Amino acid sequence: MNKTVNINLANTLFHIDDDAYNKLRRYLESIKRSFSGTPGSDEIIADIEARIAELFLEKMENERQVITQKQVDEVINVMGQPEDYMVDEDIFEDEPKKTYDAPRSKAKKLYRDIDQKYIGGVCSGLEHYLGFDALWIRLIFILLAVFTGFGLIAYILLWILVPEAATTSQKLDMRGEPVNISNIERKVKEGFDDVADKVKNVDYEKVGNKVKSSSKTFFDAIGDIIMFLFKVFGKFIGILLIIVGATALIALFIALFSVGLLNAVHFPGVDFYEIVGTTGVPVWVLSILLFFAFSIPFFFVLYLGLKILVNNLKSIGNIAKFSLLGLWLISVGTLFALGIRQAAEFANVGSVNVREEMVLENPNDTLIIKMKESAYDHNMENVHFGRMSFTYDENDNKILISDDVHIKLRKSVDSMININIRKDAHGSTLLAARERAKAIDYGFSIAGNEIIVDEHLVTDVSNKARDQEVTTTIYIPNGSVVRFDESTRGHVSSGILNDKGYYRSGIIGYTWTMGEDGELKCQNCPDEPEDTDEEEEGGKIIINEDGVDINLKDREDSFEMKINEDGIKVKAGEKNNN
């Protein structure tokens, strides 16, 4: 069992065992003795301690980890011993200074070089990182700013996002040099040498330095303003994220407990889920899955907003983060699997046909096709799945009804009138779809010369909503006279051939005779549509055997175009109101 102590190294708290602490203490004391009396010794020692703290943090997996002697040895090996770098300058005054030949770092880090800056130090920092002269980088930014505007935007973004090399360790990282005792000492001494040289050359560089200092002061002020505005904008974004995240979480909590779990609020969609869904998953389980799938992202949105506003906000920890991520992945994955299973319920279409032969009381009379008005209130629940909705039968049992019924008319192959009712439904398998189609309740009746079909199909709620559909096809012999009642409007199918080219409900209200070719012949349709009002309002378009005649008119002028075998004739002019 080893004793541990707490130390404050470069304003960072570390837990270190007693043996490692004694070794680190002796190492730092030897460094202090080595640099005693050296110009800038305090800054050198402070930078060395900061670098040691950085190395410890890199080796720690969590903030409670204890620094051991092994880790101290590894740090000392990186930093080196003071005797590896010190030279007796009085004895070897004319000899070149010996230094520790340490390998260069493999990768540089991007910082802004504030020592060589003119505005924000971006270009001088890129010089170290990319290896290009800062002059060329500045010219590139200027050209991009002048010709595209991108240069200015890129510079401002780099100015905001790239940190400045403030400490000696950061300056060495910027140049890709190992951050050890030798380089820290050299860098600090270079700073003092630069100050001495500037003092010696103050008269020579006085004007240049004054101009440069003024420019730095001006651009520093601009930089401070930009940073202030960026921080204000960041705070605004943080507040917005908090509002969005908190509002969404509150709404999801209310929905979960009032609808999904307790069903305290009657929501029609909850009942309808049982009709549409086929997965067998209870509503409360689906509600919890949906809650986690949506609430976890909004929680992190809220957390991000708090992190933006509160600088020292305590982290929720990696365990909590990964647990929430895993829970979210499980919820989304489960919902995805349920969605695939739900989609499979509509993969197959099953059909059943019921065909009957009909005998009319007076076969020579006009056959009238009507629809029986439904006795059910299909808008009772006001929730629909396609054209299907809830209602109740005469015994107050909940049923499903749909007005997805269609009527077709075809020529019979014999002299008899036949009716064929085809029922369609979807299912995960063809057999399941056919069974669901058989369960559809739909009928017709004959009253005199009227064929009356139901307005709605009906099925039990246990059959679910699976795009149930009914198509009634009536076959009549050649020469039969037929008329569609107004009640069939909206249910007449397309594809009924007629000599007028009317589409779907356009044939309603007229009397038709079935032709030999299977095409209906109209008995009372108007020969030509009245076009007097159309000509007065906006002109006319006539298409016949003579060609295409287009006459478009408005209140100010007229335009005429005629296309026939002679070619194309276009005429435009002012409208004659006389």
Side-chain angles (χ1 to χ4, degrees):
M1 183 174 63
N2 294 332
K3 178 182 177 182
T4 61
V5 296
N6 296 330
I7 61 172
N8 187 334
L9 189 62
N11 296 323
T12 305
L13 182 66
F14 293 98
H15 304 285
I16 185 170
D17 67 36
D18 191 51
D19 294 336
Y21 167 72
N22 291 327
K23 188 165 190 176
L24 179 62
R25 178 176 56 79
R26 291 192 298 269
Y27 177 70
L28 292 175
E29 288 176 353
S30 66
I31 291 175
K32 291 179 181 179
R33 289 194 301 269
S34 299
F35 290 107
S36 178
T38 302
S41 60
D42 292 339
E43 183 177 351
I44 294 173
I45 294 171
D47 286 336
I48 291 174
E49 290 182 353
R51 178 54 179 168
I52 293 175
E54 290 178 1
L55 293 174
F56 280 155
L57 291 173
E58 291 176 1
K59 297 178 181 300
M60 292 174 59
E61 297 180 358
N62 56 72
E63 59 184 9
R64 296 183 177 274
Q65 183 175 339
V66 176
I67 303 299
T68 63
Q69 188 170 349
K70 177 183 177 182
Q71 293 167 327
V72 172
D73 291 335
E74 291 174 352
V75 169
I76 293 175
N77 185 52
V78 173
M79 297 297 296
Q81 294 289 346
E83 56 268 21
D84 295 332
Y85 312 106
M86 300 304 297
V87 177
D88 191 343
E89 297 180 357
D90 295 335
I91 299 175
F92 304 103
E93 188 176 19
D94 297 330
E95 295 288 335
K97 184 179 291 187
K98 298 179 181 178
T99 59
Y100 179 76
D101 188 15
R104 297 179 64 85
S105 298
K106 294 182 179 180
K108 302 177 182 179
K109 293 183 180 180
L110 180 59
Y111 289 96
R112 290 186 290 113
D113 189 355
I114 58 176
D115 294 332
Q116 304 297 327
K117 72 174 183 177
Y118 277 93
I119 300 178
V122 173
C123 295
S124 53
L126 288 173
E127 177 184 15
H128 298 293
Y129 190 76
L130 300 177
F132 294 107
D133 191 281
L135 176 62
W136 297 108
I137 299 176
R138 291 187 177 101
L139 288 175
I140 292 173
F141 273 107
I142 292 173
L143 292 175
L144 291 175
V146 171
F147 293 104
T148 65
F150 175 75
L152 179 61
I153 297 174
Y155 190 91
I156 293 175
L157 289 176
L158 290 173
W159 191 356
I160 294 172
L161 299 176
V162 177
E164 65 180 27
T167 66
T168 303
S169 297
Q170 291 172 340
K171 292 175 182 178
L172 292 173
D173 283 335
M174 179 177 63
R175 289 170 169 79
E177 299 178 3
V179 186
N180 50 33
I181 295 177
S182 174
N183 288 328
I184 291 175
E185 177 193 6
R186 175 178 57 80
K187 194 62 185 172
V188 172
K189 286 186 176 181
E190 284 178 358
F192 279 91
D193 291 340
D194 289 341
V195 173
D197 291 340
K198 289 180 180 180
V199 171
K200 293 178 182 178
N201 301 325
V202 64
D203 294 332
Y204 180 77
E205 297 179 353
K206 183 176 181 181
V207 177
N209 285 339
K210 187 174 182 181
V211 173
K212 187 174 181 179
S213 175
S214 300
S215 66
K216 288 182 179 180
T217 304
F218 172 74
F219 287 114
D220 285 343
I222 294 179
D224 293 338
I225 294 173
I226 294 175
M227 290 300 297
F228 173 76
L229 294 176
F230 181 75
K231 290 179 180 179
V232 171
F233 179 74
K235 299 297 182 182
F236 173 77
I237 295 297
I239 294 173
L240 184 63
L241 293 177
I242 291 174
I243 293 174
V244 172
T247 304
L249 287 175
I250 292 173
L252 288 169
F253 268 112
I254 294 175
L256 174 66
F257 288 98
S258 64
V259 178
L261 297 183
L262 305 179
N263 199 20
V265 178
H266 178 67
F267 184 63
V270 175
D271 296 331
F272 205 69
Y273 160 77
E274 299 177 359
I275 307 302
V276 176
T278 60
T279 59
V281 177
V283 175
W284 65 271
V285 174
L286 185 65
S287 300
I288 292 176
L289 293 174
L290 289 171
F291 174 77
F292 286 135
F294 287 97
S295 64
I296 292 175
F298 280 113
F299 169 76
F300 281 104
V301 168
L302 174 63
Y303 180 70
L304 178 60
L306 291 173
K307 289 285 286 185
I308 293 175
L309 290 180
V310 183
N311 295 328
N312 59 345
L313 182 68
K314 186 177 180 181
S315 175
I316 61 175
N318 291 332
I319 296 177
K321 291 178 182 177
F322 286 112
S323 298
L324 290 175
L325 177 61
L327 186 60
W328 180 80
L329 290 175
I330 292 173
S331 301
V332 172
T334 305
L335 289 173
F336 182 74
L338 294 176
I340 293 176
R341 183 176 176 182
Q342 177 71 23
E345 280 293 312
F346 296 87
N348 296 279
V349 180
S351 300
V352 294
N353 289 272
V354 178
R355 190 180 183 98
E356 291 189 19
E357 187 178 283
M358 296 183 296
V359 178
L360 301 180
E361 294 181 358
N362 300 304
N364 295 326
D365 289 348
T366 301
L367 174 65
I368 299 174
I369 301 175
K370 300 178 65 175
M371 298 201 80
K372 178 183 179 181
E373 185 177 355
S374 176
Y376 301 120
D377 182 8
H378 60 281
N379 291 320
M380 179 173 287
E381 291 288 343
N382 198 28
V383 177
H384 299 266
F385 182 76
R387 299 175 68 171
M388 182 164 282
S389 60
F390 282 120
T391 191
Y392 295 90
D393 60 12
E394 59 276 5
N395 298 320
D396 292 332
N397 297 317
K398 184 174 286 189
I399 59 174
L400 290 172
I401 66 171
S402 173
D403 64 349
D404 196 1
V405 296
H406 311 279
I407 302 174
K408 290 183 178 181
L409 193 65
R410 295 290 186 267
K411 178 179 175 294
S412 177
V413 296
D414 51 29
S415 61
M416 301 301 296
I417 298 177
N418 296 276
I419 185 169
N420 182 80
I421 297 178
R422 191 189 74 196
K423 304 175 183 180
D424 299 326
H426 287 74
S428 57
T429 64
L430 184 59
L431 180 60
R434 283 179 54 82
E435 292 297 326
R436 187 173 281 117
K438 290 179 182 179
I440 296 175
D441 183 13
Y442 186 82
F444 68 94
S445 61
I446 300 175
N449 274 34
E450 294 182 347
I451 299 178
I452 305 171
V453 296
D454 290 346
E455 184 182 12
H456 291 93
L457 64 88
V458 181
T459 190
D460 190 79
V461 292
S462 61
N463 296 315
K464 310 289 186 177
R466 293 295 178 269
D467 287 344
Q468 284 88 341
E469 179 183 1
V470 170
T471 302
T472 301
T473 305
I474 301 173
Y475 297 87
I476 61 176
N478 178 36
S480 298
V481 181
V482 64
R483 181 167 62 86
F484 285 87
D485 186 74
E486 185 65 29
S487 60
T488 61
R489 185 173 297 278
H491 297 277
V492 177
S493 297
S494 60
I496 299 179
L497 300 178
N498 60 89
D499 59 351
K500 297 299 182 181
Y502 292 160
Y503 180 72
R504 300 189 64 160
S505 297
I507 67 176
I508 295 176
Y510 300 114
T511 302
W512 305 85
T513 302
M514 177 59 70
E516 180 68 29
D517 56 357
E519 183 180 72
L520 294 177
K521 312 296 181 183
C522 189
Q523 302 299 311
N524 58 348
C525 295
D527 294 334
E528 296 290 344
E530 298 180 2
D531 55 10
T532 304
D533 295 338
E534 294 180 0
E535 184 175 355
E536 291 179 355
E537 294 180 0
K540 61 184 180 179
I541 300 176
I542 301 175
I543 303 175
N544 52 30
E545 65 275 3
D546 297 327
V548 181
D549 189 357
I550 303 175
N551 184 4
L552 304 177
K553 297 182 179 181
D554 55 27
R555 297 182 180 180
E556 301 296 333
D557 52 18
S558 64
F559 174 83
E560 297 183 10
M561 183 172 70
K562 188 173 183 179
I563 305 173
N564 53 27
E565 67 276 4
D566 297 328
I568 301 175
K569 180 180 178 181
V570 179
K571 181 180 178 181
E574 295 183 357
K575 180 178 179 180
N576 188 1
N577 296 322
N578 296 328

